[in-house]
Amino acid sequence: NLGSGVASVVAVIGLTLFAAARYLPLDYWLADQRTATGEQRTLRLSDGTLINLNTHSAVDVRFDEKQRLVVLQEGEILVETGHGDARPFIVETREGSMRALGTRFLVKREEQGTRLSVLQSAVAAHPQSNPDELILSEGQQMLIRNDGLGPVTALNLGADAWTRGMLVVDNVRLEDLIHEIGRYRPGHLGVAPKVADLRITGSFPLRDTDLALSALLPTLPVQIEQHTQWWVTVAAKTEPKP
């Protein structure tokens, strides 16, 4: 009857919203600008600032007479601030805020917090629930947590290579590499525990993740197991039977 039909529709909508909130937070869907998985986009803001959005990223832009505020809801951005505007330029996440000091920098949401990487000039970092502030200089990076600031370390090799369609890694675990490649393709991309700790160095194309995976084969004892288009696993190479 009509009542049960409406109830079924409501149940389906409820489950859909739950799934969206679980896997794609609501803030992502409601953001001013966002990119889909595998998509990248460049925005030019009203002050001349350029923002590159990486795969599956979302930002809100909140400019007023006192400040230029960009809220990173999800993913990763590269910021090149515009010149000639006296208002402070701030990028904010759930973990803290970053005030540009005439600069070019990366901000990335990670499981443990927000990673700030300074490519040029300097950025002042401030955690959300702590009065501490630290100025990072060119070539430095740091993880910002809600309750504090992590140690300052040297910038990763090729940190901004994604803006040129490449992923550059230096002696990283295979599992970490696969996790990064997985950000650029839909479905599940996993790695077998037996090969997860193998180390690899190289450059991998992000606009063709199948090609990136096939580039592993000449250098590592692995094989690509494609169960479906949406379920792929990097596993240990098996020797052919005699």
Side-chain angles (χ1 to χ4, degrees):
N1 58 30
L2 180 60
S4 61
V6 171
S8 299
V9 171
V10 170
V12 169
I13 292 174
L15 288 171
T16 301
L17 289 175
F18 172 80
R22 170 64 179 84
Y23 297 105
L24 297 175
L26 192 59
D27 289 339
Y28 168 86
W29 291 108
L30 298 179
D32 294 340
Q33 300 286 341
R34 64 180 184 269
T35 53
T37 298
E39 179 188 8
Q40 296 177 344
R41 189 187 311 160
T42 300
L43 306 175
R44 182 178 290 276
L45 305 185
S46 60
D47 66 334
T49 293
L50 289 177
I51 295 185
N52 285 44
L53 279 79
N54 202 354
T55 175
H56 186 66
S57 298
V59 296
D60 288 315
V61 180
R62 299 288 181 263
F63 282 19
D64 59 28
E65 66 278 1
K66 294 182 179 180
Q67 66 178 1
R68 296 170 289 164
L69 176 65
V70 173
V71 181
L72 177 61
Q73 302 287 6
E74 194 74 26
E76 181 178 17
I77 56 174
L78 182 146
V79 179
E80 297 182 49
T81 53
H83 302 290
D85 194 315
R87 294 172 297 171
F89 188 97
I90 298 170
V91 176
E92 186 175 276
T93 69
R94 297 181 188 89
E95 289 78 30
S97 60
M98 290 132 278
R99 178 168 50 89
L101 303 174
T103 191
R104 183 171 177 264
F105 60 103
L106 296 161
V107 182
K108 181 181 180 183
R109 296 290 315 284
E110 298 182 355
E111 289 184 12
Q112 300 85 3
T114 295
R115 183 164 302 280
L116 168 64
S117 303
V118 181
L119 302 168
Q120 183 181 334
S121 191
V123 179
H126 181 270
Q128 202 71 264
S129 304
N130 192 301
D132 292 345
E133 182 176 85
L134 185 66
I135 295 179
L136 262 67
S137 301
E138 181 175 328
Q140 295 181 326
Q141 66 171 347
M142 179 178 61
L143 189 69
I144 303 170
R145 302 183 308 273
N146 186 275
D147 60 348
L149 303 172
V152 177
T153 60
L155 199 63
N156 289 336
L157 176 70
D160 63 341
W162 61 265
T163 64
R164 301 182 292 276
M166 298 297 294
L167 174 61
V168 178
V169 297
D170 180 23
N171 193 35
V172 302
R173 295 175 64 247
L174 178 59
E175 184 174 34
D176 295 334
L177 172 67
I178 295 304
H179 174 76
E180 278 299 305
I181 294 176
R183 294 175 57 218
Y184 295 85
R185 59 182 290 145
H188 171 78
L189 176 61
V191 57
K194 187 175 180 179
V195 296
D197 290 327
L198 294 176
R199 314 294 293 196
I200 187 165
T201 295
S203 301
F204 301 88
L206 294 174
R207 297 188 178 99
D208 187 342
T209 54
D210 286 334
L211 181 61
L213 292 175
S214 67
L216 300 172
L217 303 181
T219 56
L220 293 178
V222 298
Q223 62 187 27
I224 310 302
E225 297 179 352
Q226 185 158 348
H227 309 285
T228 71
Q229 181 183 354
W230 309 98
W231 194 279
V232 178
T233 302
V234 180
K237 185 176 182 179
T238 56
E239 295 300 327
K241 294 180 179 180

